[in-house]
Amino acid sequence: MGPSASDVLWEVATKEDSSGRFLLLRYRKNVYLFVYYLIQFCGHSWIFTNMTVRFFSFGKDSMIDTFYAIGLVMRICQSISLLELLHIYVGIESNHLFPRFLQLTERIIILFVVITSQEEIQEKYVVCVLFIFWNLLDMVRYTHSMLAVIGTSYAVLTWLSQTLWMPIYPLCVLAEEFLESLREYSMCVVPLQNETFAIYQSLPYFESFGTYSAKLPFDLTIYFPYVLKLYLMMLFIGMYFTYSHLYSERRDVLRIFSTKKKKM
């Protein structure tokens, strides 16, 4: 005996209800991601516009107090970006967790540990250069992601989002490691007269002021400059891993985009 009409209607209604819930969840997810990308785009656009206007208004002098002018907004944007790890973990964003974790960790350490904690570092030109690189990448990335959520794509923007990082990301790593030449500082033992690593350049300040260093029981001491030196070596390894991942992702995305364009 076959199913009754009521059973068929119940099965159809159940499928429609499940389909409706799925569409509702997908709609809410897209709305959330669109708002998130929009907030990040607005924040980074404001930073980039502010830096550009200040540079044309005050010239090189504006680069010295870049951190004081836009440092708060930059810290807010980078702090919010940690949500992307949660997005990937719960499946809201389709991306690889570990490469994104490396990129965010790199920025958080440089911004909050190296720059924010040392006022002497905040006045360096490299802080302005580094912020420009970060914001260029993020403005393009968040614009592309925001439009992708609503099903809109442009060939130029897709290519730019998958290509701009190739010259800028290595420059970001170099900017994180390079600073302008330092003269002799009070409380610093060795004068630095050539370009040196940014993190390495910050070591005299951490050594002099003892920032983040701590003594533990049993005559153990956490000497933070040693931690920075270890991170300095790991930074290049992380850059190679991230660069390889981004290059593979670029190849796949551009191939899929090219295939879709041909079908259209």
Side-chain angles (χ1 to χ4, degrees):
M1 182 177 179
S4 63
S6 59
D7 292 336
V8 173
L9 291 176
W10 174 258
E11 184 178 353
V12 172
T14 303
K15 290 182 178 179
E16 290 180 351
D17 184 61
S18 299
S19 177
R21 289 182 180 179
F22 173 77
L23 292 176
L24 180 60
L25 290 175
R26 184 177 180 181
Y27 173 77
R28 290 177 177 176
K29 182 195 76 172
N30 289 340
V31 170
Y32 167 77
L33 287 178
F34 183 85
V35 172
Y36 170 78
Y37 293 141
L38 179 62
I39 291 174
Q40 287 283 36
F41 171 77
C42 292
H44 289 288
S45 297
W46 181 88
I47 293 172
F48 187 80
T49 303
N50 188 294
M51 294 175 65
T52 303
V53 172
R54 284 170 50 81
F55 180 77
F56 284 107
S57 300
F58 306 106
K60 292 179 64 176
D61 293 338
S62 66
M63 301 176 69
I64 299 177
D65 60 348
T66 294
F67 184 82
Y68 301 101
I70 53 92
L72 176 60
V73 180
M74 177 62 78
R75 292 197 296 272
I76 292 175
C77 289
Q78 295 303 322
S79 298
I80 295 176
S81 67
L82 292 174
L83 287 173
E84 295 176 24
L85 298 178
L86 180 62
H87 296 168
I88 299 172
Y89 180 75
V90 300
I92 296 179
E93 288 189 57
S94 57
N95 209 330
H96 293 279
L97 181 62
F98 187 63
R100 191 66 189 135
F101 172 78
L102 289 179
Q103 296 176 54
L104 291 176
T105 302
E106 173 186 313
R107 290 192 180 189
I108 293 298
I109 290 177
I110 295 298
L111 179 60
F112 287 93
V113 178
V114 176
I115 298 177
T116 303
S117 64
Q118 300 294 336
E119 294 185 4
E120 293 79 2
I121 302 298
Q122 297 169 9
E123 299 175 354
K124 300 301 173 184
Y125 291 152
V126 73
V127 174
C128 179
V129 174
L130 184 61
F131 285 0
I132 290 175
F133 287 157
W134 284 356
N135 283 279
L136 278 175
L137 288 174
D138 286 338
M139 282 193 302
V140 174
R141 183 169 68 90
Y142 286 122
T143 302
H144 176 264
S145 299
M146 183 171 56
L147 294 178
V149 168
I150 60 176
T152 303
S153 61
Y154 297 97
V156 175
L157 184 59
T158 301
W159 181 87
L160 193 61
S161 67
Q162 297 297 326
T163 306
L164 186 63
W165 62 266
M166 297 182 72
I168 291 186
Y169 181 67
L171 291 176
C172 285
V173 176
L174 290 177
E176 290 164 3
E177 300 204 8
F178 280 90
L179 274 177
E180 291 293 328
S181 309
L182 287 180
R183 298 178 181 177
E184 294 189 15
Y185 287 92
S186 59
M187 302 178 68
C188 292
V189 180
V190 182
L192 302 172
Q193 298 178 347
N194 299 315
E195 284 189 337
T196 52
F197 294 111
I199 296 178
Y200 183 78
Q201 254 185 341
S202 68
L203 292 178
Y205 301 107
F206 287 104
E207 292 173 351
S208 300
F209 303 126
T211 309
Y212 299 130
S213 295
K215 290 186 178 181
L216 302 177
F218 307 107
D219 295 330
L220 296 177
T221 302
I222 297 178
Y223 193 52
F224 191 71
Y226 289 161
V227 178
L228 279 183
K229 290 176 182 178
L230 178 62
Y231 174 74
L232 189 63
M233 293 185 292
M234 297 298 295
L235 191 60
F236 285 104
I237 300 176
M239 182 188 72
Y240 173 78
F241 181 84
T242 303
Y243 202 94
S244 300
H245 166 74
L246 291 176
Y247 183 79
S248 299
E249 185 181 60
R250 175 183 183 272
R251 181 185 56 199
D252 296 338
V253 170
L254 293 183
R255 184 177 66 249
I256 295 174
F257 184 81
S258 178
T259 303
K260 290 182 179 179
K261 191 175 180 181
K262 289 179 180 179
K263 290 181 178 180
M264 295 176 60

